[in-house]
Amino acid sequence: QVQLVESGGGLVQAGGSLRLSCVVSGTIFSIKTMNWYRQAPGKQRELVARITSDPRTNYADSVKDRFTIFRNNVKNTVYLQMNSLKPEDTAVYYCNLQQSGIQYWGQGTQVTVSS
């Protein structure tokens, strides 16, 4: 059974940093493309960052040069380092992977950035 467990969210002032972690089990983590999404109140869930198995990375324009996604295949963990946080980064952050056409999600971790 595929499971994703996020951690690392919290309350931070604008300009601060947080590092999110997502531990994955029940799949061959090293070959999976991993994604971080976020959903703010009243908004659709949006893709924030992606890392492939190569690894190659992609970012939403709104977080480029501020966020970094990276992975540790020994620990089966994907991370999202978030720097220079802004109030508009406030959201629930989810890690995600797809396997056999099924989307798997973690429970989410709340990030709140105060101005």
Side-chain angles (χ1 to χ4, degrees):
Q1 182 178 357
V2 178
Q3 290 189 318
L4 297 81
V5 180
E6 302 104 332
S7 62
L11 173 63
V12 64
Q13 287 190 328
S17 297
L18 283 173
R19 178 178 292 183
L20 306 184
S21 301
C22 173
V23 179
V24 179
S25 60
T27 188
I28 306 173
F29 176 78
S30 62
I31 66 172
K32 294 298 181 187
T33 292
M34 295 300 303
N35 305 302
W36 281 101
Y37 283 78
R38 69 184 179 187
Q39 187 166 20
K43 295 189 176 182
Q44 287 190 328
R45 194 170 294 190
E46 63 172 349
L47 179 64
V48 174
R50 169 173 290 157
I51 185 166
T52 68
S53 59
D54 295 2
R56 288 173 290 138
T57 58
N58 296 98
Y59 298 93
D61 287 343
S62 59
V63 307
K64 275 181 184 175
D65 301 322
R66 298 190 299 123
F67 290 11
T68 302
I69 187 171
F70 58 103
R71 64 194 300 160
N72 183 324
N73 289 338
V74 174
K75 295 184 177 181
N76 283 7
T77 302
V78 61
Y79 303 91
L80 187 67
Q81 177 66 42
M82 306 185 295
N83 299 329
S84 303
L85 282 161
K86 304 176 180 180
E88 50 264 43
D89 295 318
T90 295
V92 179
Y93 285 71
Y94 300 89
C95 63
N96 160 272
L97 66 85
Q98 180 175 309
Q99 177 168 290
S100 300
I102 300 172
Q103 298 286 344
Y104 292 90
W105 300 90
Q107 82 285 0
T109 186
Q110 176 71 47
V111 172
T112 303
V113 185
S114 63
S115 58

